[in-house]
Amino acid sequence: MHATARGHSCAVRIVDVLVLDGKVLRSAFSGDASEAEGETQQEKQPIQKTNTKKKAEKRKRITEKTVKAKKKKSEQTECISPQKKTEDEKSNKPKKKRKKKTITDVLATSEQKPGCPADLQNLITQYFSDKRSVIEQEELKLQDSCFLSSNDLTHSLSSYLKQVCPKWAKIQKQHTEKSSVVLLIVCSSALRTIELIKQLTTFKGEAKAVKLFAKHIKIEEQVKLLQKGVTHIGVGTPGRVSALIEKEGLNLQALRYLVLDWNWRDQKLRRMVDIPEIKLDFMKLLESGILNGCKEDKVKIGLF
């Protein structure tokens, strides 16, 4: 019994020893494994640190690149944005309509040239182009002998008349007919008529001048005035002069000179023939017997 007990105890001890050895071995093995694992972890730690550093550096580089790119874009947008804004503002602004050029705009930029006989001839042909036949239009053409010398924009009215009517003193003495004039000056308005009569003082001498316009003066009064005495010079508008001719208050039998206030311009820089109403009246006046007088070499036309 003791032997068996000892054997059993020995076996137990052996088992224990084995167990203990196993534990020891296991512990030793586990210790070796843990040491190995620790070594591998220690080896891995510096590798992981280097990797994290590299990643951090890469991130920094990427962030720096993105920041630089954003700055460049912002600079470009700052440079381009005002141009785009101005273009957008221009496109959004309502387009201004171009104003049609008037006669005053054209004449303000162009140099004033003195009138010549060709200007009057062109005006006559244009006016009658759709009113007369080709044969009648040829009959309306005026010869150069029908015209006096034109004003070159250096003369006053008196100096111009002295040039074109050198024998005025003799002509005015010979004129004795009533309801007629020897010299007829045609202008655009009543105010211009008064101005021209004032300019006649050094030329007319003893001759009598009459105002022939419609403003504040009845046509009957003018007819009576012409019938009373001898008048040498008539100054007026084409509308009133043609109306007096129609009513036989003024005849053209004694008329020798027709002077047109051609070069004078109003506040809108319009000549007499540039105003449509006055142009119509002027063409009626020419048709009333002046063109026939020119063809018969009785009447001379001057452009002042």
Side-chain angles (χ1 to χ4, degrees), residues 32 34 44 55 80 86 96 136 155 166 174 218 247 249-250 265 272 301 304:
D32 294 334
S34 62
K44 286 179 181 179
K55 287 179 181 178
I80 295 165
T86 52
K96 292 182 179 179
E136 288 174 339
H155 287 283
Q174 291 175 350
K218 292 180 180 180
K247 289 198 172 186
L250 177 67
R265 299 179 188 273
M272 176 177 66
I301 300 174
F304 171 65

Side-chain angles (χ1 to χ4, degrees), residues 9-219:
S9 63
C10 289
V12 171
R13 283 177 187 174
I14 291 163
V15 171
D16 292 335
V17 170
L18 289 169
V19 171
L20 291 169
D21 292 335
K23 284 180 180 178
V24 171
L25 289 168
R26 285 177 186 172
S27 62
F29 181 76
S30 62
D32 294 334
S34 62
E35 285 176 1
E37 287 176 358
E39 288 175 358
T40 53
Q41 286 176 359
Q42 285 176 1
E43 289 175 357
K44 286 179 181 179
Q45 281 176 359
I47 294 165
Q48 288 176 354
K49 286 179 181 179
T50 54
N51 289 332
T52 53
K53 284 180 181 179
K54 287 179 180 179
K55 287 179 181 178
E57 288 176 357
K58 284 182 180 180
R59 286 175 184 173
K60 283 182 181 179
R61 288 174 186 173
I62 292 163
T63 52
E64 285 176 358
K65 285 180 181 180
T66 52
V67 169
K68 287 179 180 179
K70 285 179 180 179
K71 282 182 179 179
K72 285 182 180 179
K73 285 181 181 179
S74 63
E75 287 175 359
Q76 289 174 358
T77 51
E78 284 176 0
C79 295
I80 295 165
S81 59
Q83 293 177 357
K84 286 184 177 180
K85 283 180 181 178
T86 52
E87 288 176 0
D88 293 334
E89 287 174 358
K90 287 179 182 178
S91 60
N92 292 327
K93 281 182 181 179
K95 291 182 179 179
K96 292 182 179 179
K97 291 183 179 179
R98 289 184 179 178
K99 291 182 179 180
K100 290 182 179 180
K101 287 186 177 180
T102 58
I103 295 169
T104 54
D105 295 331
V106 174
L107 293 172
T109 55
S110 62
E111 293 182 2
Q112 290 186 6
K113 294 180 180 179
C116 62
D119 295 333
L120 179 59
Q121 188 64 63
N122 291 332
L123 181 70
I124 293 167
T125 52
Q126 285 175 5
Y127 179 78
F128 291 109
S129 60
D130 57 347
K131 296 176 179 65
R132 301 284 179 91
S133 64
V134 178
I135 298 168
E136 288 174 339
Q137 286 179 27
E138 288 180 359
E139 290 177 357
L140 292 170
K141 288 182 179 179
L142 299 173
Q143 301 296 323
D144 292 338
S145 59
C146 298
F147 293 95
L148 300 167
S149 60
S150 301
N151 180 22
D152 58 357
L153 303 179
T154 59
H155 287 283
S156 65
L157 182 59
S158 291
S159 64
Y160 175 71
L161 292 174
K162 284 177 182 178
Q163 181 182 353
V164 297
C165 306
K167 297 179 181 180
W168 174 249
K170 184 180 178 180
I171 291 167
Q172 73 170 12
K173 286 179 181 179
Q174 291 175 350
H175 177 62
T176 56
E177 292 182 17
K178 295 180 181 179
S179 299
S180 65
V181 293
V182 179
L183 172 61
L184 181 62
I185 301 170
V186 179
C187 58
S188 60
S189 66
L191 291 172
R192 181 61 178 164
T193 300
I194 295 165
E195 287 178 8
L196 291 174
I197 287 173
K198 288 178 180 177
Q199 292 179 23
L200 285 171
T201 51
T202 57
F203 168 77
K204 68 178 183 177
E206 296 178 358
K208 185 180 179 181
V210 180
K211 296 179 285 187
L212 303 175
F213 55 79
K215 193 172 185 180
H216 307 305
I217 302 172
K218 292 180 180 180
I219 192 167

